[in-house]
């Protein structure tokens, strides 16, 4: 007699179950324990296994059709056997694939169930359509179940052309001693201070005229080629004398304000960054300061700067203008309370009174330690730097 397979009950609240996909068609041979269909109810999904070996004689429920638990969905029996329906499933067996009691033989001792592949209905359909063998796929779903993503991955692998050229792997190399020092200092700087950055723009149109006028004289007197950085450095030194809060540091819950300006000038090297220090910069004239900056930068690039040349700064300046950067966020050079960033200058139309003229603008970025001073005094310092750059006579005289 044919064995009836019913819709199991997948949960206490289940009213209907739906056949997602039939893995066999009428007339196909099936083996006991083999998955013949997949069914689902809301978010629950499972496979239906054949309770007996034989032939799939009749399919009562089509794919996508929902029926109550206990409803016969198919019959399995001998090839050519006539199906006689009998819709009287026993209540205690509701929720499981059922066979008529008289047709269920007692299990044989030591009998093993044939291994089946756990795969979702959608994944099985996709695999079959793509010609993939499900038993060769790796399942990443719960309990090793093969899901849609696993089939898609296998399909991509099949589609990729085989190449004898191996994909380049990322390479790692030990950080240089200089890189380690920079990484350590910058990390500690951000961890141990409250950093905030303000930006402002200075009109350096007049300053550039002074630069051109003084270029020959400076070259003859001290061999220095004047740059905008020299003017900015001078402006920063003079502004620090007016706003000593930025020439300070926060150490052991005390604010230490320095009576001198040891100016750090960041210099980029091929394998890192160093900050040569111009000591007692407030005592130097404009041309003396420019000469010290140029000399210390050259020594640093040639690798001739000593340890003392790179220690003890109270305020620093860094310039990224040569790289086309305008505003940026410099990181404090510990234990300093301030660092001034110089960006790339650019030309723009501006009004001078009622007249529209071409002006050159220099972006400035000031990072300061909020533990030492607040935004207002930091802004006052930056405004003083701006004013000095826009009235360059005060830098020279």
């Amino acid at each position: 007699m044919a064995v009836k397979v019913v819709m199991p009950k997948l949960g206490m609240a289940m009213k209907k179950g739906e056949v997602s996909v039939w893995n066999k068609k009428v007339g196909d041979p099936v083996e006991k324990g083999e998955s013949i269909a997949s069914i689902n109810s809301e978010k629950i999904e499972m496979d239906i296994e054949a309770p007996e070996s034989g032939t799939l004689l009749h399919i009562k429920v089509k794919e996508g059709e929902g029926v109550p638990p206990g409803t016969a969905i198919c019959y399995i029996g001998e090839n050519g056997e006539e199906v006689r329906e009998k819709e009287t499933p026993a209540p205690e067996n509701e929720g499981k694939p059922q066979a008529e009691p008289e047709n269920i033989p007692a299990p044989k001792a030591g009998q093993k169930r044939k291994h089946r592949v756990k795969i979702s209905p959608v994944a099985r359909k996709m695999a079959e359509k793509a010609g993939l063998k499900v038993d060769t796929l790796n399942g990443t779903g719960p309990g090793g179940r093969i899901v849609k993503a696993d089939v898609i991955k296998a399909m991509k692998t099949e589609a990729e052309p085989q190449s004898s050229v191996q994909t380049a792997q990322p390479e790692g190399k030990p950080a240089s001693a200089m890189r380690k020092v920079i990484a350590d200092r910058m990390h500690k700087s951000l961890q141990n201070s409250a950093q905030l950055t303000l930006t402002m723009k200075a009109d350096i149109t007049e300053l550039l005229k002074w630069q051109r006028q003084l270029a020959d004289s400076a070259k003859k007197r001290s061999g220095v080629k004047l740059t905008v950085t020299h003017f900015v450095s001078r402006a920063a030194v003079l502004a620090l004398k007016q706003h000593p809060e930025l020439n300070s540091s926060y150490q052991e819950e005390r604010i230490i304000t320095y009576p001198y300006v040891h100016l750090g000038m960041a210099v980029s090297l091929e394998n890192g960054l160093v900050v040569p220090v111009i000591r007692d910069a407030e005592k130097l004239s404009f041309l003396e300061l420019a000469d010290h900056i140029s000399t210390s930068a050259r020594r640093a690039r040639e690798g001739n700067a000593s340890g003392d040349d790179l220690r003890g700064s109270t305020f620093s300046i860094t310039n990224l203008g040569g790289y086309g950067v305008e505003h940026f966020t410099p990181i404090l050079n510990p234990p300093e309370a301030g660092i001034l960033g110089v960006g790339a200058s650019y030309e723009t139309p501006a009004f001078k009174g009622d007249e529209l003229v071409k002006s050159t603008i220099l972006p400035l970025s000031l990072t300061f330690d909020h533990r030492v001073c607040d935004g207002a005094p930091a802004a006052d310092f930056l405004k003083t730097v701006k004013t000095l750059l826009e009235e360059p006579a005060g830098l020279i005289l």
Side-chain angles (χ1 to χ4, degrees), residues 10-222:
L10 303 183
M12 294 299 296
M14 176 181 169
K15 301 298 182 183
K16 282 188 176 183
E18 180 181 301
V19 176
S20 305
V21 63
W22 283 103
N23 302 326
K24 296 287 185 177
K25 60 181 183 294
V26 173
D28 284 351
V30 297
E31 295 185 26
K32 185 176 180 179
E34 183 179 9
S35 174
I36 57 174
S38 293
I39 55 102
N40 70 81
S41 175
E42 296 180 342
K43 296 182 179 179
I44 303 175
E45 190 174 278
M46 66 174 287
D47 290 336
I48 295 291
E49 299 176 358
E52 288 292 335
S53 298
T55 299
L56 183 58
L57 300 176
H58 179 54
I59 292 177
K60 287 200 63 180
V61 180
K62 298 177 181 179
E63 290 183 1
E65 183 179 350
V67 294
T71 303
I73 61 173
C74 73
Y75 287 84
I76 298 173
E78 297 294 331
N79 190 19
E81 183 180 351
E82 183 180 352
V83 174
R84 288 184 296 171
E85 298 186 21
K86 184 179 179 182
E87 296 289 346
T88 56
E92 65 270 20
N93 290 328
E94 187 177 281
K96 298 180 181 179
Q98 296 182 24
E100 296 296 336
E102 63 271 22
N103 291 320
I104 301 178
K108 297 178 183 179
Q111 183 178 19
K112 293 184 179 180
R113 175 178 291 181
K114 182 180 178 181
H115 172 72
R116 67 182 182 86
V117 177
K118 294 181 179 180
I119 182 169
S120 72
V122 175
R124 183 181 293 277
K125 271 194 168 182
M126 290 178 62
E128 290 176 352
K129 187 174 290 186
L132 298 173
K133 294 182 179 180
V134 295
D135 56 357
T136 64
L137 302 177
N138 292 321
T140 60
R145 185 183 183 87
I146 299 168
V147 294
K148 180 179 177 181
D150 301 323
V151 179
I152 292 174
K153 182 178 179 181
M155 290 168 64
K156 288 182 178 178
T157 302
E158 287 283 326
E160 289 175 357
Q162 297 298 316
S163 173
S164 59
V165 181
Q166 293 185 346
T167 303
Q169 297 297 317
E171 296 181 5
K173 63 178 182 179
S176 65
M178 179 179 290
R179 190 76 260 161
K180 289 178 182 178
V181 171
I182 294 172
D184 183 62
R185 286 180 63 83
M186 294 300 97
H187 186 243
K188 287 181 178 178
S189 174
L190 291 172
Q191 282 187 317
N192 300 326
S193 61
Q195 303 190 25
L196 180 66
T197 301
L198 305 178
T199 63
M200 200 171 286
K201 299 175 182 178
D203 186 336
I204 60 169
T205 308
E206 188 67 22
L207 183 149
L208 294 177
K209 294 178 182 177
W210 280 76
Q211 180 189 6
R212 288 191 291 270
Q213 292 173 3
L214 295 173
D216 290 341
S217 176
K219 190 71 173 177
K220 291 177 181 178
R221 290 179 55 182
S222 58

Side-chain angles (χ1 to χ4, degrees), residues 219-384:
K219 190 71 173 177
K220 291 177 181 178
R221 290 179 55 182
S222 58
V224 176
K225 180 181 179 181
L226 288 182
T227 67
V228 171
T229 300
H230 294 140
F231 287 89
V232 174
S233 301
R234 176 67 169 173
V237 171
L238 296 179
L240 287 171
K241 298 303 293 180
Q242 296 182 44
H243 306 278
E245 303 98 324
L246 273 298
N247 194 47
S248 305
S249 65
Y250 189 90
Q251 300 181 41
E252 298 178 355
E253 298 184 348
R254 298 175 62 226
I255 297 176
I256 300 174
T257 301
Y258 303 102
Y260 46 80
V261 178
H262 291 348
L263 186 65
M265 300 295 299
V267 176
S268 177
L269 305 180
E270 185 177 349
N271 59 344
L273 181 78
V274 294
V275 185
V277 180
I278 315 301
R279 301 188 182 281
D280 300 312
E282 80 284 0
K283 297 179 181 180
L284 303 175
S285 68
F286 172 67
L287 285 181
E288 288 173 337
L289 178 62
D291 180 48
H292 278 68
I293 290 172
S294 298
T295 301
S296 62
R298 184 178 65 253
R299 285 171 54 84
R301 292 191 181 98
E302 293 172 349
N304 296 323
S306 67
D308 289 339
D309 294 334
L310 306 176
R311 285 195 292 264
S313 57
T314 60
F315 185 91
S316 291
I317 294 176
T318 179
N319 191 335
L320 291 180
Y323 300 94
V325 176
E326 293 182 6
H327 291 294
F328 58 101
T329 304
I331 298 178
L332 291 175
N333 185 24
E336 298 169 11
I339 180 171
L340 181 64
V342 183
S345 61
Y346 59 92
E347 295 181 342
T348 185
F351 279 99
K352 297 290 185 181
D354 294 332
E355 184 181 0
L356 186 64
V357 298
K358 183 173 69 174
S359 297
T360 302
I361 303 300
L362 183 69
L364 301 171
S365 304
L366 172 69
T367 296
F368 67 96
D369 190 343
H370 218 314
R371 299 176 304 169
V372 173
C373 70
D374 296 324
D380 284 341
F381 166 82
L382 194 55
K383 187 176 181 180
T384 299

